[in-house]
Amino acid sequence: MLESSGSPSRHEVLTWSDVDKLIDIMIPQLRAVGPFSGIIMITRGGVIPGGMLAEALDIPHLLTAAVDFPAKAAAGLMAWPTFLQFPDPSLVINRRTLIVDDVWGSGRTSIAVRERLVAIGATPFTCVLHYNPYRSLFKNEKPSFYGATTDSYVIYPWEIDRGMRDIGLTVPDMN
């Protein structure tokens, strides 16, 4: 459920076991359309799930992309991104490439990376742990692969301290 401000009113704190289950849900989907020649992990959220998927799918070609959008108030939600880091075109051209991030909220980051790869000549597929169709700015788009849908603000185990602090909650005992 969304608050009137547009932000999720529910928060979901995931454990490593929860993440493993989401990865296990996606692996058969990915194998069914694979193989992929490489993975582009969107920093920072896509680094850990991207590494987990690379290991499970035996994909040794790992790259990263860092995308920055101008502040929402100053430029609006549809502002063009700045790519702080992106693979050289020679590393992705003519490759089936899996783009991995943790969550598809607005969808801007995954779409920006995907469209840049299409322009280069790669064959990209988007993959996230969570898809939030309620926040997506792209009503006719969704990730190629996702582990679950949500309307919550998801906090992953690798961001537990930072994520909890950002929403005013205390860190639970994860032992």
Side-chain angles (χ1 to χ4, degrees), residues 7-18:
S7 61
S9 60
R10 293 185 318 108
H11 299 89
E12 185 176 355
V13 180
L14 269 64
T15 65
W16 286 106
S17 178
D18 296 328

Side-chain angles (χ1 to χ4, degrees), residues 9 43 54-55 65 81 83 91 94 137 140 147 158 160:
S9 60
T43 64
E55 185 66 27
F83 291 92
L91 299 173
N94 298 322
L137 298 174
N140 295 323
W158 52 88
I160 205 82

